[in-house]
Amino acid sequence: MPLPNIIEVCKNDLFTKESDLEARYDVITINRLMRIRAEYQWVLANPDLPDRQFVEEFTGRTGLGERAVYADLAIIKQLLPLLSSSSR
């Protein structure tokens, strides 16, 4: 079974309780969603810091490689305007 589109998952469920996600998604998707949630919150708290600092922070926190963390950052950058416009 293919994994769901993570951008769609984030748009729909970025702030959904983790226990509610278990009925809808596999463990891999839930883990990535939880990681992106933490990264998203960090970006909101540190909006003026450069991408490189984000990557350093989350490669250290997660143990992931730079490529994976940059991929998460690209998702967050796509989500920022979508999530801010839906909260108006």
Side-chain angles (χ1 to χ4, degrees), residues 8 12-13 15 30-31 43-44 56-57 61 69 71 75 79-81 85 87:
E8 290 301 317
N12 295 323
D13 291 310
F15 304 109
I30 293 169
N31 290 342
V43 167
L44 291 180
E56 288 173 3
E57 176 74 21
R61 280 191 195 188
V69 176
I75 291 168
L79 291 172
L80 282 170
S85 67
S87 64

Side-chain angles (χ1 to χ4, degrees), residues 1 6 8 15 17 19-20 25 32-33 55 57 60 65-66 75 79 82:
M1 172 188 265
I6 195 65
E8 290 301 317
F15 304 109
K17 290 190 325 185
S19 59
D20 294 341
Y25 302 110
R32 187 158 188 209
L33 183 61
V55 172
E57 176 74 21
E66 286 185 1
I75 291 168
L79 291 172
L82 297 172

